[in-house]
């Protein structure tokens, strides 16, 4: 595939936009073209938001939101109750959901087509285990990378580390790196 | 060695400013100012550049300070957006009238009322006749490249005029894209040492700026001034050629995309041109002869070159991200129509207004326009000369 289009669903304050940026940055390796941008609305903590990535081997000229995603990442499990995260998704789209529910229950709930794939990871639990806060973005980046296979886990971890810069305590950075790794390892197809 | 990064358009342009290191940068530090100046101010605070940063209480003051600093003999830059540019209006004409080579990125955003912070070209269109050179940019790479070239164009001894570098608010300014940075040394060498012309700080040779000229000679001064603009396209092309040597990226007065054998065409500025090019490729695969013209040097407008690129087409749609209320048509349409009006052979022209206040311009919109152009080329009939597209019913 030349271009992978990704749509993220999260809530303000969960680091969804940061996750999209970090993932784009990691995907630069191998000479790829990348885009990362949120849907700009009123920025309020807790409000539903969307963010997008395009990753391509060709120059990216399209400058508009992704309406027919190849991959849908749902960072906040409660969003599937209130919005249709499947809207416009391609027939062979991959859905990566942060949830503690079973894949069967989620597939039923989302009414996925049989050609669409579902991946589940309990990212909130991983985040709490790894650094004590319910911030699911790091494990979701790990899970996304496993599902898309766009970059190596090592490249991703290096980029996540760099994205924290010098502002954060080593404990927080290590916890997030572990969370990315666990998201990568624990995401399950269902 | 170029460095490949994923950054926002604003980060890219702030980095160009860091590499160029202007002597003085005066700016209004609050909205509608964008993150561009915040990033550049951080470079100043961290000691990465020796630029004198002057934070002022309004955009009117920001540009006034720039005028003073440029007349004093410094390399000067600022940046603005939306209402900020509107507030600068009075001083825009002074900067160009005094031939001061100030460089100013303009992050294109809507004007009030109603209040809106999103992408729209009304701000820069309102300043299109202020005597500033305007370069428009499709993406972050072009915004970065145009900013570097803008200093050379502005400071050319045959021109000495201020330059705006326009790029789309949010869509480019706040979105992350892959871009290639040139090395600091290469950029520094490309823009070169600043050469002041008639600096006020040269106290041994006192000069007067902006004197009173009444009915005796004002008309002649303006005529002489208008002649300067004729030299601009040549300089823009020369600078582009040199820039290509250091970057490998080619720039012209406008981009001609698959236009040479086209029967129908779209004229469109900035980021929406990228989306449209992807749609054009799809139509080309189906055998539809469609092309695109994306103006880069919008002021002064290269009327003759643009007309030559479009005159053999059957139908052309000019897409405007601004309306000229009461002028009947969008500003870009008026320029394209003026370019073509004296040719006996010319395309049928229509005007569509899109994307105001950040309304998304989607591939479907480009396709809708191409479908309409196909009909017009076939039947020769126009159903609507001007219309808004992407309107919620």
């Amino acid at each position: 595939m030349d271009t992978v289009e990704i749509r993220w669903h999260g809530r303000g304050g969960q680091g969804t936009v940061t996750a999209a940026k970090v993932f784009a940055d990691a995907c630069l390796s191998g000479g790829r073209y990348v885009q990362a941008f949120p849907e700009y609305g009123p920025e309020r903590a807790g409000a539903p938001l969307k963010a997008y990535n395009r990753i391509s081997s060709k120059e990216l000229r399209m400058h508009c939101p992704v309406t027919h995603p190849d991959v849908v990442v749902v960072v906040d499990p409660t969003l599937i109750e209130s919005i249709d995260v499947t809207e416009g998704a391609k027939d062979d789209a991959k859905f990566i959901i942060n949830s503690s529910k079973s894949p069967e229950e989620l597939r039923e709930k989302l009414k996925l087509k049989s050609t669409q794939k579902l991946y589940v990871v309990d990212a909130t639990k991983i985040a709490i285990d790894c650094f004590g806060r319910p911030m699911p973005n790091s494990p979701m980046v790990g899970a996304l990378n496993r599902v898309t296979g766009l970059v190596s886990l090592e490249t991703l971890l290096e980029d996540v580390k760099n994205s924290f810069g010098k502002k954060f305590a080593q404990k927080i950075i290590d916890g997030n790196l572990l969370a990315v790794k666990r998201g990568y390892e624990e995401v399950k197809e269902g | 060695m170029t460095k490949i990064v994923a950054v926002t358009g604003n980060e890219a342009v702030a980095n160009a400013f860091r590499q160029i290191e202007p002597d003085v940068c005066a700016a209004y530090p609050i909205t509608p100012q964008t993150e561009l100046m915040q990033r550049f101010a951080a470079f100043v605070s961290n000691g990465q550049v020796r630029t004198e940063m002057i934070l002022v209480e309004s955009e009117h003051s920001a540009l006034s300070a720039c005028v003073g600093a440029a007349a004093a003999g410094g390399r000067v830059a600022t940046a603005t957006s939306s209402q900020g540019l509107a507030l600068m209006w009075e001083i825009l004409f002074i900067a160009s009238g005094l031939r001061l080579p100030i460089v100013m990125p303009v992050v294109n955003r809507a004007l009030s009322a109603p209040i809106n912070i999103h992408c729209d070209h009304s701000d820069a269109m309102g300043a299109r006749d202020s005597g500033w050179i305007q370069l428009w940019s499709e993406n972050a790479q072009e915004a970065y490249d145009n900013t570097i070239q803008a200093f050379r164009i502005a400071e050319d001894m045959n021109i000495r005029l201020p330059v705006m570098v326009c790029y789309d608010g949010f869509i480019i300014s706040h979105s992350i894209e892959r871009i290639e940075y040139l090395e600091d040394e290469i950029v520094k060498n490309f823009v070169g040492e600043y050469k002041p012309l008639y600096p006020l700080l040269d106290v041994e040779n006192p000069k007067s700026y902006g004197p009173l000229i009444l009915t005796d000679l004002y008309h002649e001064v303006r005529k002489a001034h208008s002649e300067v603009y004729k030299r601009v396209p040549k300089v823009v092309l020369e600078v582009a050629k040199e820039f290509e040597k250091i970057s490998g990226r080619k720039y012209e007065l406008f981009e001609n995309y698959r236009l040479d054998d086209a029967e129908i065409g779209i004229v469109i500025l900035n980021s929406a041109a990228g989306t449209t090019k992807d749609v054009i490729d799809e139509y080309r695969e189906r055998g539809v002869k469609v092309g695109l013209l994306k103006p880069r040097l919008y002021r002064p407008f290269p009327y003759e070159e643009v007309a030559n690129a479009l005159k053999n087409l059957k139908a052309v749609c000019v897409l405007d991200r601004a309306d000229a209320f009461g002028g009947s048509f969008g500003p870009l349409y008026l320029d394209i129509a003026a370019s073509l009006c004296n040719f006996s052979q010319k395309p049928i022209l229509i005007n569509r207004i899109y994307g105001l206040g950040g309304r998304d311009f989607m591939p479907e919109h480009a396709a809708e326009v191409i479908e309409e152009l196909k009909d017009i080329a076939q039947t020769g009939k126009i159903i609507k000369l001007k219309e808004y597209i992407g309107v919620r019913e």
Side-chain angles (χ1 to χ4, degrees), chain B residues 89 93 96 124-132 134 298-299 303 335:
Chain B
W89 209 75
F93 290 77
S96 63
M125 285 300 171
R128 72 187 186 279
D129 301 331
S130 63
W132 285 56
Q134 285 190 348
Y298 182 56
R299 280 296 179 270
Y303 288 94
D335 283 313

Side-chain angles (χ1 to χ4, degrees), chain B residues 123-192:
Chain B
D123 54 0
M125 285 300 171
R128 72 187 186 279
D129 301 331
S130 63
W132 285 56
I133 293 166
Q134 285 190 348
L135 299 173
W136 290 65
S137 328
E138 179 179 323
N139 50 35
Q141 185 73 61
E142 290 191 10
Y144 170 81
D145 292 349
N146 278 339
T147 301
I148 294 168
Q149 293 176 71
F151 283 88
R152 281 284 299 273
I153 298 164
E155 295 168 10
D156 188 285
M157 283 299 177
N158 285 313
I159 293 183
R160 305 298 283 198
L161 283 171
V163 181
M164 288 180 202
V165 177
C166 302
Y167 57 101
D168 282 350
F170 287 100
I171 302 166
I172 300 304
S173 67
H174 290 60
S175 298
I176 289 178
E177 286 191 296
R178 172 200 191 273
I179 104 152
E180 293 182 25
Y181 283 154
L182 297 165
E183 268 184 56
D184 291 359
E185 276 313 300
I186 289 178
V187 174
K188 279 191 180 16
N189 288 337
F190 181 78
V191 295

Side-chain angles (χ1 to χ4, degrees), chain B residues 322-391:
Chain B
D323 200 353
F325 296 117
S328 303
F329 297 102
L332 183 56
Y333 178 91
L334 293 172
D335 283 313
I336 300 296
S339 309
L340 290 163
C341 69
N342 286 326
F343 286 88
S344 53
Q345 190 190 351
K346 52 183 177 258
I348 296 172
L349 280 184
I350 58 168
N351 187 202
R352 295 292 175 264
I353 310 291
Y354 74 99
L356 301 188
R359 173 60 48 82
D360 291 317
F361 179 77
M362 304 301 291
E364 301 87 271
H365 297 134
E368 185 189 313
V369 168
I370 294 171
E371 288 298 335
E372 194 176 352
L373 287 172
K374 276 166 62 187
D375 287 346
I376 293 172
Q378 210 164 39
T379 62
K381 282 194 190 113
I382 301 175
I383 294 167
K384 269 189 177 159
L385 201 49
K386 180 198 173 188
E387 186 55 276
Y388 278 57
I389 59 168
V391 180

Side-chain angles (χ1 to χ4, degrees), chain A residues 21 24-25 28 31-41 43 59-68, chain B residues 4-6 118 138-139 170-172 174-178 257 271 274-275 277-279 281 360-363:
Chain A
K21 287 178 183 174
D25 207 60
L28 269 185
R32 286 201 198 87
Y33 290 83
V34 300
Q35 287 181 345
F37 54 103
E39 194 165 79
Y40 293 96
E43 287 162 26
E59 187 189 354
L60 288 165
R61 299 184 300 196
M62 200 66 90
H63 282 102
C64 57
V66 171
T67 46
H68 303 294
Chain B
I4 293 168
V5 291
H118 289 280
E138 179 179 323
N139 50 35
F170 287 100
I171 302 166
I172 300 304
H174 290 60
S175 298
I176 289 178
E177 286 191 296
R178 172 200 191 273
Y257 188 74
S271 68
T275 306
K277 283 187 253 179
D278 272 11
V279 178
D281 285 0
D360 291 317
F361 179 77
M362 304 301 291

